[in-house]
Structures are given as C-alpha cells and as structure tokens.
Amino acid sequence: RTLAKDVSYTLLAYGWAGALKTAILQDDVAAADAGKAKLQVLNLATDAGTLDIYLTGNDDLLDDATALTTGLAGGATLSHTSISAGSYRLRVTGNGDKTDLRLDVTGLALTTTQVASLLLVPGPGGVLVHAVLAVQQGTVTALSNQQARVRVVSAVGGNGRVTASVGGSTLASGIVSPTIGNYAQVTANTGALPVVLAVNGAAVPVADLAVAAGGDYTLLVWGPAGAPQTTLVADDNRLPANSGNAKVRLVHVVSGLDAALTLTADFSAIAASIAGGQASAYASVVASSAMRLEVNSPLSSTALYTLSSVNVLAKGLYTVFMMGDSASPVGVLRRER
C-alpha cells in the first residue's frame, strides 16, 4: 500500500478464514453540503454475487422503490453519492430481482454533512449479507442481518408426507417424499428456533434449532415413516474459490439403508463413508461438460445412482441427494447456485 503524508485511512479486512482479503479507504473526502450526506458502497460479499441496494423509508414498499445502485458486482464500489440526511431502511437484493432479499434492516442513520461508507459483508451461508456503516474518521456501526435461510428435505420411507414449520414459518405442507424443498427466510435464533413437524399427520417431537444469522440450513426429515429422524445441515453455499472449478457434495437420506455411501466424479472419490442422515463437505472439482457422477454402497455390486455426461458448470454448486427406500433408492442432482 502507498500511504500519503497527513492523510487518514481505514483498512478493511474481509473474506473467509484461509482466504483473507483487504481494501483501503482514503478518509479525506470533502464534507457533504448541509442537509446532505455522501455515501459510497463497497460490495465485499463476493460470494453473494451481483447486488442491488435500496435506501427507503421504513414503511415504503420495495416494489415502488428506486435503487440507489443496481448490478454492484462482488469487489466493486459505488463512488460517493450525495443523498438527503436522515434515517433509512436498507434493503439488498439479488441483481434485478426484488423478491431475492439478501438483507433488510432499519436504522441506517446519515447526518448532515457526513461522509460514510456502506460495506456489504458476507453471511456464513454465502448468500445472505450483513452490512457495516463506517463514518469517515468516525464511528463504525454493524447493520447485521436478522434472517437465516432454511429448507426442508422430505425423505421419509414409503412416500411419507411431511409438514414442517420453523420459527413459525411453514416450509413444507404435506409434501410427499422424496422432495427437496426451497429455501425460505426465518428469523435467526442461535438457541431456540422452534420446529413443528408432522409425518403422515402424526406429530414428531423435534428439538429447537440453533441457526446463525446470515446462514443457510437444510432440515433433513428421513427414515421410516413410523420412526422418522431429523438432521440439521449447515449449508456452505459459498462459490468456488477457483473460477474454473465447481463444488459438489453428497447427502445420504435413503430410508432403511444401513450403509455409508461414496460419491465419485469421473471415477475419483470426492465424498466417502457418508452415513445416513449426513451430508459430506463440498469437494472442489474441475468443471466439465461431460462429467460422470456415481454413488456406490458397499452392499451393492452396482452403483445406486449414475449420471453420465453431466454438464457441471464453472463456479457452480451441486448436491447429489440420495433418497427413497433401500429397495429402490432415488438419486437427484440439484444445482444449488
């Protein structure tokens, strides 16, 4: 870094363990006009992709709002923009999709003549974001996301029907196994997020879930319909660090199969000894337009699931879900991002 004499700077450290990045702000921007503030925006949440940023009143509908900026790519900066001083509701969405809400917080305060930087930083799941407001040569305020994303995978034997709500939000309503649900946002609570679960209409007791704000989670409901089990998986939906690679993992929820499974990509094992109700870590593989994916069990001489000539895209995230019953396992390849 080149630092000039008599100039104040702010050094930003961000990213993930093992992949730390830095940026530097030069804190010598002239004050804004009276009644105005100057705000720049930095998208440091590179895994979240390209984002749109909205500053509105607390009760303003997002459908009617005009973005402060759109298409802000990871690592990009919106230069200082003059806006009216006041208190704002900050909402961040995926690019061009107001329904793809990544952050929604109130209390972003900008005072007259102030110069500030709004920093978008990653949540632990890689999709939702947090924010930090750094006032030039002044205070730093966290604007933390209060939401997490949770989905339900219904994998009960005998095509059992699953109904589930998490934190008061219904995520599955009588869905027939095997089914992979979609992510929905719930209010995060690290100690007591209640779950109401029923399989074929019979209530199933489930302990409260601990989920971190900004995280992604999959609630697996699996096993025999008469004695279902649940597993909460923390999903690492961060993009591959290498632009030419993809990430692939295995989730094993085959009912009645008392054996660990192995996932291979082009005949190389990328997930091994994955027990029932468990998910492997993501493996990084070189992207290919003709990849062979195969899931094997030590109890079978033939593969339980085979896909040939799969187009696995660079920077993509994929999960192979093994579901169904032991007599007739069902494999599903899901592109997560």
Side-chain angles (χ1 to χ4, degrees):
R1 301 293 184 181
T2 300
L3 305 178
K5 181 179 179 180
D6 298 327
V7 176
S8 296
Y9 297 89
T10 296
L11 179 66
L12 311 174
Y14 65 98
W16 306 99
L20 188 66
K21 298 179 181 180
T22 62
I24 196 164
L25 304 179
Q26 190 166 318
D27 292 337
D28 62 348
V29 178
D33 296 336
K36 299 286 186 178
K38 288 182 180 179
L39 183 70
Q40 69 171 341
V41 183
L42 287 76
N43 182 3
L44 306 180
T46 53
D47 287 295
T50 303
L51 303 173
D52 299 343
I53 293 90
Y54 297 84
L55 295 179
T56 70
N58 284 348
D59 299 324
D60 291 350
L61 297 177
L62 189 56
D63 286 344
D64 301 329
T66 300
L68 175 69
T69 186
T70 61
L72 191 66
T77 300
L78 171 70
S79 58
H80 285 96
T81 300
S82 179
I83 61 176
S84 297
S87 181
Y88 290 93
R89 179 178 178 181
L90 166 65
R91 281 173 282 193
V92 179
T93 71
N95 184 33
D97 185 357
K98 291 183 177 181
T99 66
D100 182 14
L101 194 61
R102 309 295 186 86
L103 176 65
D104 184 357
V105 292
T106 58
L108 190 157
L110 300 174
T111 59
T112 182
T113 73
Q114 191 177 69
V115 178
S117 297
L118 179 66
L119 318 174
L120 303 179
V121 296
V127 175
L128 300 180
V129 302
H130 300 292
V132 175
L133 183 68
V135 177
Q136 179 171 276
Q137 300 191 44
T139 59
V140 175
T141 304
L143 299 165
S144 299
N145 205 322
Q146 301 302 309
Q147 302 292 300
R149 298 200 313 161
V150 183
R151 67 179 173 183
V152 171
V153 170
S154 172
V156 178
N159 301 119
R161 292 181 177 271
V162 171
T163 296
S165 68
V166 177
S169 299
T170 298
L171 303 185
S173 183
I175 58 176
V176 178
S177 302
T179 298
I180 304 164
N182 295 320
Y183 285 107
Q185 292 194 24
V186 301
T187 301
N189 190 322
T190 56
L193 197 63
V195 179
V196 178
L197 175 66
V199 174
N200 291 335
V204 178
V206 180
D208 291 349
L209 303 183
V211 300
D216 284 356
Y217 297 87
T218 296
L219 179 63
L220 304 173
V221 185
W222 60 286
Q229 302 180 61
T230 60
T231 306
L232 183 67
V233 175
D235 295 329
D236 176 9
N237 286 325
R238 295 177 292 172
L239 298 176
N242 187 317
S243 62
N245 285 7
K247 290 165 63 175
V248 185
R249 67 172 176 172
L250 172 65
V251 173
H252 172 8
V253 280
V254 180
S255 178
L257 181 60
D258 188 21
L261 300 181
T262 296
L263 171 66
T264 63
D266 291 335
F267 303 99
S268 295
I270 59 174
S273 301
I274 307 305
Q278 301 298 317
S280 73
Y282 273 110
S284 183
V285 299
V286 176
S288 169
S289 61
M291 184 177 293
R292 178 184 176 88
L293 296 173
E294 192 172 274
V295 178
N296 292 280
S297 162
L299 303 182
S300 175
S301 59
T302 59
L304 301 187
Y305 180 61
T306 301
L307 280 175
S308 300
S309 300
V310 181
N311 185 16
V312 175
L313 301 176
K315 302 292 282 185
L317 273 74
Y318 298 86
T319 299
V320 176
F321 288 93
M322 290 303 302
M323 304 182 290
D325 296 289
S326 58
S328 54
V330 176
V332 176
L333 177 65
R334 171 65 62 92
R335 184 181 177 188
E336 309 285 14
R337 297 188 66 187

